Amino acid sequence: MLSKVLVANRGEIAVRVIRACRELGIATVAVYSDLDRSALHVRMADEAHALGGQTAAESYLNTEAILDVIDRSGADAVHPGYGFFSENADFARAITARGVAFIGPNPEAIEVMGDKISARQAAERVGVSGVPGTTDLITDPEQVRAFGAEHGYPVAIKAAYGGGGRGMKVVANESAVEEAIESAQREALSYFGRDEIYMERYLEQPRHVEVQVLADSHGNCVYLGTRDCSAQRRHQKLIEEAPAAGIDPEVLAAMGEAAVKVAQGCDYVNAGTVEFLYEDGQFYYLEMNTRLQVEHPATELVTGIDLVEQQIKVASGEPLPFTQDEIEISGHAIEVRINAEDPAEGAFLPSPGPITGLRAPSGYGTRWDGGYEAGDEISQFYDNLVGKLICWGRDRPTAIARTLRALDELEVSGVATTIPADKAILAHPDFAALTHSTKWVEETLDLTGVKSAPASPSSDTEPLMQRDIDVEVNGQRYSVKMWVPETASAPSAAPASGSANRPKRAAASKSGGSAGSGEVTVPMQGTIVKVMVAAGDTVEAGDPIVVLEAMKMENNVCAEKSGTIAEVRVSEGDSVGGGDVVAVIQ
């Protein structure tokens, strides 16, 4: 069995892995960015090491920094969680080259399945068909136009090395091609470190059904039922449930068998998920995620199998302790992702900031997997998942009712959350009747008036400043870094080393502006990734002025009145706060 696991991640999934290791008697190593130095996963781990930096690229995507921590900590295994390096073959290869176990598939399988194009080809080789699409990378907008002319619109542009809806844009017509390509590449590069993209037909009313697979190094591979993940916004899941209900059991079994074929076709080892789109009685292979899924707890509750425990044991060389015939699905489970977003009547606006209060629900069949506690802060630089509520019931109606009860108990203050939208989804007759699809939340669900409670104003706590201090412990001298308020006096022997790296703020007013006032304000904290206008341009109400990235999602900030751009107050790369004025229209 492994003895010390470094968790190369943060937030909820890092906490989840640390807990599983603790139950197995395995020591844990946390890594953290400057912004996460006091995070929950850092507090829970047996030891923690700084990566430096604030953004993901500067910290959790810094290969050399993580490899250095592996060497210094003596970790004999790395669990990548999901996101970040979880599907990066080069990272997995760098880990295994050090003689350290990677708790995931081998690099070759990641390369095949991490590249969505080669993954389609691999599935086709074992007789599993995908959604009509192309295996060519997009290098010219005309490729998309030609595909749209042949197969029709809408067309999905997707990150070749991504997943989870990140880096995916839907092109409604040929006039939107260039903008969709640019946006997909920006998101893919930001989240996965690579910007290659491809395309496929975008189905009109599909359900998103996925199959959890688990394989060991002894040739055993099983599937652990299905999950329905159709309740989505921006191609990212809000609610997942296991098993997928209302589908012919023979079709579900065929999906499971197809998933095993895909996994075995690439010599897959460890946990993975094969995703399908289901429409009109047919299913189409979509992609394989070579990692643990965010929604894995739903499968755990209906199978009684701890997937993280099995991941660790498989990485230790142990065989699976069960066969396909021994896997039983019991009852129904629903997982709700609690994101720091205001539903905002369907706009789903990210809401970074401090969590001033958090009370998790409890009770029979109720589980909370959280990454934060009261006093922690949701940063604009990372994913906005606060935690996951998972409820089990003897059947689907019971699970829905229990989840609604638990959502009523769940309290999160300080930031806006998706809880009001989650309740609207679960209480809707379409959800109960299984007539919803992946587009239902955005195109059918009426969220008029559905908003989160206003987030608490950002606290005016002093920015922290790094100071280098010399200390003596047991007679040995050490140089350490301390983070203290800027106004704190520095010890005479240790002058300040300079303020902490903070992103440049836009030189903008905090007054906001009423609708139609001519002042274009941003609704949340974030980073300007694209400026769409220049002084002197003529715009119409509703035209995009800037593109704001917050919590790995891009949001168009649009004009509320027609007129001429008198002033643009931001540039690409500027950090802005909620209410900042980015442009003025006359």
Side-chain angles (χ1 to χ4, degrees):
M1 179 65 73
L2 303 172
S3 62
K4 181 183 281 191
V5 172
L6 182 145
V7 185
N9 217 299
R10 64 178 302 279
E12 173 272 327
I13 187 57
V15 172
R16 168 73 180 93
V17 174
I18 289 168
R19 284 176 171 151
C21 289
R22 182 171 296 170
E23 292 172 8
L24 293 170
I26 298 172
T28 55
V29 180
V31 291
Y32 60 92
S33 67
D34 287 348
L35 297 177
D36 276 344
R37 68 178 67 86
S38 299
L40 180 58
H41 75 284
V42 173
R43 303 195 297 266
M44 289 186 64
D46 295 300
E47 59 184 272
H49 296 256
L51 296 172
Q54 296 186 95
T55 67
E58 295 168 342
S59 54
Y60 299 102
L61 289 174
N62 185 336
T63 303
E64 292 306 315
I66 294 175
L67 293 177
D68 180 59
V69 174
I70 292 171
D71 293 342
R72 289 189 286 116
S73 68
D76 59 356
V78 172
H79 196 303
Y82 50 72
F84 295 139
F85 276 139
S86 61
E87 295 181 283
N88 187 299
D90 291 337
F91 180 73
R93 192 170 282 115
I95 298 300
T96 55
R98 277 173 157 70
V100 173
F102 182 76
I103 304 178
N106 60 62
E108 292 72 27
I110 295 176
E111 282 180 329
V112 171
M113 290 301 168
D115 175 351
K116 305 309 178 187
I117 295 172
S118 64
R120 285 176 61 96
Q121 296 170 333
E124 290 169 358
R125 284 195 294 270
V126 295
V128 179
S129 300
V131 178
T134 175
T135 56
D136 296 326
L137 291 175
I138 298 173
T139 57
D140 189 319
E142 291 307 315
Q143 293 172 265
V144 182
R145 292 192 174 92
F147 184 85
E150 179 180 354
H151 296 278
Y153 289 93
V155 174
I157 294 178
K158 306 178 73 173
Y161 293 90
R166 306 291 187 183
M168 175 177 170
K169 298 296 171 181
V170 179
V171 184
N173 53 62
E174 65 176 21
S175 66
V177 170
E178 281 86 357
E179 181 181 348
I181 288 175
E182 291 174 9
S183 182
Q185 288 180 320
R186 278 197 305 270
E187 284 192 1
L189 186 62
S190 172
Y191 204 74
F192 305 109
R194 301 188 63 162
D195 65 358
E196 294 93 330
I197 53 176
Y198 72 106
M199 61 191 157
E200 63 189 22
R201 180 183 155 206
Y202 190 58
L203 297 182
E204 293 297 331
Q205 297 294 327
R207 284 173 62 184
H208 186 134
V209 179
E210 57 190 31
V211 179
Q212 177 72 60
V213 296
L214 192 59
D216 62 25
S217 56
H218 303 274
N220 305 306
C221 184
V222 299
Y223 68 91
L224 307 177
T226 56
R227 295 186 292 255
D228 186 304
C229 308
S230 301
Q232 306 178 3
R233 54 83 182 90
R234 297 181 177 179
H235 318 298
Q236 295 170 42
K237 304 157 189 173
L238 285 165
I239 294 174
E240 303 101 354
E241 49 185 320
I247 298 177
D248 188 323
E250 292 186 2
V251 174
L252 294 179
M255 281 189 194
E257 292 165 3
V260 169
K261 284 183 181 178
V262 169
Q264 291 178 324
C266 64
D267 297 323
Y268 197 86
V269 173
N270 216 273
T273 299
V274 182
E275 302 195 348
F276 299 93
L277 292 179
Y278 172 82
E279 190 174 61
D280 299 327
Q282 301 293 319
F283 65 89
Y284 305 90
Y285 168 77
L286 183 61
E287 63 186 18
M288 183 176 188
N289 290 308
T290 55
R291 55 174 167 80
L292 190 69
Q293 292 282 94
V294 180
E295 55 272 23
H296 74 273
T299 294
E300 293 180 329
L301 290 192
V302 296
T303 61
I305 296 171
D306 183 329
L307 285 168
V308 179
E309 174 191 13
Q310 291 304 316
Q311 280 193 296
I312 294 170
K313 289 184 174 180
V314 165
S316 300
E318 296 184 19
L320 295 179
F322 41 74
T323 64
Q324 188 68 61
D325 293 340
E326 294 173 318
I327 296 168
E328 296 182 2
I329 306 297
S330 175
H332 198 86
I334 293 176
E335 175 176 303
V336 181
R337 301 191 192 191
I338 309 300
N339 296 88
E341 291 178 39
D342 183 351
E345 300 186 315
F348 289 100
L349 302 177
S351 176
I355 297 175
T356 56
L358 194 158
R359 187 185 75 174
S362 58
Y364 183 79
T366 304
R367 168 176 165 178
W368 171 253
D369 281 20
Y372 300 87
E373 293 178 332
D376 294 338
E377 182 157 350
I378 307 290
S379 169
Q380 64 148 316
F381 291 108
Y382 311 122
D383 187 89
N384 60 17
L385 181 66
V386 178
K388 305 178 305 196
L389 172 65
I390 316 98
C391 294
W392 177 92
R394 63 182 178 274
D395 52 31
R396 189 170 185 264
T398 302
I400 291 174
R402 182 163 291 148
T403 307
L404 284 167
R405 183 272 302 164
L407 283 171
D408 285 337
E409 290 184 13
L410 177 59
E411 294 181 4
V412 182
S413 55
V415 295
T417 71
T418 48
I419 292 174
D422 298 326
K423 292 180 179 179
I425 293 168
L426 289 165
H428 200 284
D430 286 359
F431 186 83
L434 293 164
T435 56
H436 63 301
S437 70
T438 57
K439 303 179 184 180
W440 176 77
V441 168
E442 294 180 330
E443 296 183 357
T444 304
L445 180 64
D446 184 4
L447 292 175
T448 302
V450 178
K451 302 178 181 179
S452 183
S456 301
S458 295
S459 64
D460 292 326
T461 54
E462 274 190 83
L464 296 181
M465 188 174 194
Q466 178 187 317
R467 297 190 188 281
D468 294 334
I469 309 293
D470 291 334
V471 298
E472 190 174 286
V473 179
N474 294 331
Q476 184 171 351
R477 184 182 177 89
Y478 295 90
S479 294
V480 300
K481 295 178 181 178
M482 294 184 64
W483 296 84
V484 297
E486 284 186 340
T487 56
S489 60
S492 58
S497 65
S499 60
N501 292 326
R502 291 189 298 275
K504 180 165 69 77
R505 291 295 306 272
S509 165
K510 298 294 288 185
S511 62
S514 60
S517 69
E519 291 186 335
V520 181
T521 61
V522 294
M524 74 206 84
Q525 179 184 10
T527 302
I528 302 297
V529 295
K530 188 172 185 180
V531 177
M532 311 288 284
V533 297
D537 288 352
T538 300
V539 296
E540 300 292 330
D543 284 352
I545 303 300
V546 298
V547 179
L548 176 73
E549 183 189 82
M551 295 174 164
K552 300 296 182 181
M553 292 190 293
E554 292 191 354
N555 307 268
N556 285 339
V557 178
C558 300
E560 293 184 339
K561 62 177 282 186
S562 301
T564 302
I565 299 293
E567 182 183 2
V568 177
R569 298 185 179 179
V570 293
S571 302
E572 292 181 9
D574 281 357
S575 178
V576 294
D580 281 0
V581 178
V582 296
V584 178
I585 302 173
Q586 289 183 340

